[in-house]
Amino acid sequence: MQEKDLTQEEVKETVEDATEETTVEETATAEETVEEAAETTEDTSEKKKIFSKKKDKKPDPMKEKIDELEDRVKRQMAEFDNFRKRTEKEKSAMFETGAKSVIEKILPVVDNFERGLMALPEEEKGSPFAEGMNMIYKQLMTELENIGVKPIEAVGKEFDPNLHNAVMQVESEEYEEGIVAQELQKGYTYRESVVRHSMVAVVQ
């Protein structure tokens, strides 16, 4: 009877051990299943995020329209700036042309003043009339100089076709060949641009 009872106890212990082992295995399997489920959930969440980002990357028609309008405004502003600069340049060129035209018409008056003053007899050069004419001439030349009109230096200078117009050749003991020996008509520049070339005689 005692052997039979021991055998039953052993059987009971064996059954309990087997039950514990089964429970541990099931618990481990359950934990692994939970971890896998969590990983699967995380993967699904990440995929959803990526998919959501891809959805967000779809072009927004309103933003595209705004970008297009901004680009158009920038282009129009650049075109207007170029137009303004071109207009100012053309305006300046027209002003220069008009000023040159007026100066060209005034220069013969200056020439006549100079001829008249040079033609005065010596006894009349100190007269009130001669002094008044001389003062008017100086005032005229001062005003021309103030607006940028200057006489071209000629006598004693090397002949420059950009400034001088040679109408004759002369012999000279004072100047070397190619030097302007005589000025027949004074030339003028306006703001570094030639209005009238000097009419000169050059040493041959």
Side-chain angles (χ1 to χ4, degrees):
M1 289 292 292
Q2 190 177 359
E3 288 180 3
K4 189 175 181 180
D5 291 339
L6 288 174
T7 303
Q8 287 178 351
E9 288 178 2
E10 287 176 358
V11 169
K12 187 177 180 181
E13 288 176 0
T14 304
V15 170
E16 287 177 356
D17 291 341
T19 303
E20 287 178 1
E21 288 177 2
T22 304
T23 304
V24 170
E25 288 178 0
E26 287 177 354
T27 302
T29 304
E31 288 177 355
E32 288 177 0
T33 305
V34 169
E35 288 178 359
E36 287 176 0
E39 289 177 0
T40 304
T41 305
E42 288 177 1
D43 291 344
T44 306
S45 178
E46 289 295 325
K47 287 178 180 178
K48 282 182 178 179
K49 286 180 182 178
I50 293 169
F51 184 72
S52 178
K53 286 181 180 178
K54 286 182 178 178
K55 271 188 172 181
D56 292 341
K57 287 182 180 178
K58 283 186 178 180
D60 185 1
M62 185 64 69
K63 188 176 182 304
E64 287 182 354
K65 188 67 177 177
I66 291 171
D67 292 341
E68 181 184 346
L69 292 173
E70 285 181 352
D71 183 63
R72 188 180 300 176
V73 170
K74 288 178 182 177
R75 287 176 182 274
Q76 288 181 347
M77 288 179 66
E79 288 176 2
F80 177 76
D81 189 51
N82 292 334
F83 171 76
R84 181 179 57 78
K85 289 178 181 178
R86 186 170 61 252
T87 303
E88 288 178 356
K89 190 175 180 181
E90 290 175 356
K91 184 179 178 181
S92 178
M94 288 174 66
F95 178 81
E96 295 286 329
T97 304
K100 277 186 179 182
S101 178
V102 173
I103 292 166
E104 285 176 357
K105 289 178 173 62
I106 293 174
L107 291 181
V109 179
V110 175
D111 296 338
N112 290 331
F113 256 113
E114 290 175 349
R115 292 190 189 101
L117 293 172
M118 289 176 64
L120 283 174
E122 286 294 328
E123 61 273 13
E124 293 184 9
K125 285 186 179 179
S127 66
F129 173 76
E131 288 180 0
M133 294 293 289
N134 197 30
M135 288 175 64
I136 295 172
Y137 170 73
K138 286 181 179 178
Q139 183 182 8
L140 178 60
M141 295 306 296
T142 301
E143 293 302 325
L144 287 174
E145 187 176 352
N146 288 338
I147 64 172
V149 179
K150 295 180 181 178
I152 296 172
E153 295 183 8
V155 178
K157 300 294 182 180
E158 186 177 357
F159 174 75
D160 184 354
N162 295 318
L163 301 174
H164 308 134
N165 181 20
V167 295
M168 59 185 297
Q169 289 184 327
V170 296
E171 294 181 357
S172 175
E173 295 179 358
E174 185 179 358
Y175 300 110
E176 297 178 357
E177 183 180 352
I179 303 298
V180 176
Q182 186 180 0
E183 185 180 55
L184 305 175
Q185 186 181 55
K186 192 178 290 184
Y188 292 90
T189 60
Y190 171 66
R191 295 183 180 179
E192 308 303 326
S193 176
V194 176
V195 178
R196 186 176 76 183
H197 291 75
S198 297
M199 194 177 295
V200 297
V202 184
V203 179
Q204 60 183 0

